[in-house]
Amino acid sequence: MASANLLQLQSLKPDLHERAWVSIPHPSLPLIATAHGKNVTVFSLSTLSFHSALTDGHSRSIRSVAWKPGLPPHELCLITGSFDSSAGVWRWAKGSDESGGYSPSDLSQDMTKGPLNDDSAKAGDWDYNLVLEGHDSEIKCCAFSPSGAYLATCSRDKSIWIWEDIANAETEDDWETIAVLNEHEGDVKAVAWCPDVPGRNNVGQRYYSVDVLASASYDNTARIWREDSDGEWVCVAVLQGHQGTVWGVEWEPRPKDDRFPRLITFSADGTIRVWTLEQGGDGLDTDGSAMPQNHLGGIPSTMRRSFKEEWSCTAVLPSVHAKDVYSVTWSAETGLVASTGSDGIVALYKEDDGDLSNSEAVAEHDASDGRSKPATSGPKWEVLTTAPNAHGPYEINHITWCRRHDAGSTRRGEEEMLITTGDDGVVQSWQVDIRSP
């Protein structure tokens, strides 16, 4: 049996003095953004130190942040979701000396070699360009689709809003609401887009767009959403089985054998569940043949068959947490899963691909019409290690894998580390050492 060690590295900023909610790494650059209080602090992963700050935008705490993917280094864009019911669009202010900005070459150099050659970056380095309004209560989470075309926000008002960036230029901001999803019966805690990986389009491509969204709610369920051929966003599956609030969802970042990515859900009931899409049985006409997408166009939406997906709980990870599991992260590099929560424990899990018969399957109620099915046998998961009291007596709100770019890394830009973010305001980095059996 394999094992692992978690070794504390340098804290990115141990003196935020406020509860820190979440730390989100940039998808391609050595930057990570931490939400705390009404502010966001951006750290350099090259130096593990302060890079810049986003301040004076929201009237209440910022709960979540999302980097817009696909932009060049000098056109950084961050979305902030706040308890003031709004989402903010922030742009890196580049250019003139009067604005305090930096040229693209200066910023690009910082991304790869270290901090800006300045005493410190200022709040003025970020422009608060636009406020996205519409939610009636606190925004809990925001997330970009892989292409960056869509933004999803979710709220205590039980709704999910999907926004489209319709601006003609990457540096402009013109956003349009394209869907409001209201099927959850409780606060919507989190949203996550399926990553753009091989196998993502193997199922449903005749009937849906390529983008797939998952959501988690206080109603103890997770849901899967897709855009149909008429441009309507619909719920295609309800994942039931948790006995408490589902705090979040995490997609498999690199599935094997071009299969559709699996989904992890984690809950106040202390469990972490793996869900797998049942492929091959959906999308059939009454004679058993596949229905082409254009066949749907001639049928009124009220008369169409509802194309539901069947998702099964194929594994429950070994029990570690006695309290709420607040955050889970799945490594694209190694396939390892890490979790944390209100008990302050950090746990690391490994999937055993060689044994498909010993998973901790849980008998669920049978369900149909797009609702989750009973758990079935799947790969076995084992606990590699746990680190209790990882932030002392404080709860840990978030954990994420990110690539190391600091001088202590032997493979800069390739080696991974874990980042945990807690109620103590500490953003802690961890080295993960795996020992083979």
Side-chain angles (χ1 to χ4, degrees), residues 13 47 73 97 117 130 191 290 334 356 375 378:
K13 186 74 172 180
T47 61
D97 294 336
N117 294 321
L130 187 67
V191 285
T334 63
L356 300 180

Side-chain angles (χ1 to χ4, degrees), residues 168-180:
N168 294 324
E170 293 292 352
T171 56
E172 297 177 358
D173 283 296
D174 189 7
W175 297 75
E176 180 178 72
T177 306
I178 62 172
V180 177

Side-chain angles (χ1 to χ4, degrees), residues 56 97 107 157 178 198 213 217 263 283 354 416:
D56 302 323
D97 294 336
L107 184 59
D157 64 13
I178 62 172
L213 181 69
S217 173
L263 186 72
E416 283 189 314

Side-chain angles (χ1 to χ4, degrees), residues 259-270:
R259 66 190 178 194
F260 194 84
R262 292 172 294 173
L263 186 72
I264 278 181
T265 58
F266 40 97
S267 170
D269 65 14

Side-chain angles (χ1 to χ4, degrees), residues 174-198:
D174 189 7
W175 297 75
E176 180 178 72
T177 306
I178 62 172
V180 177
L181 313 176
N182 290 304
E183 293 191 29
H184 275 296
E185 298 176 359
D187 304 8
V188 187
K189 183 65 182 66
V191 285
W193 295 91
C194 183
D196 189 7
V197 295

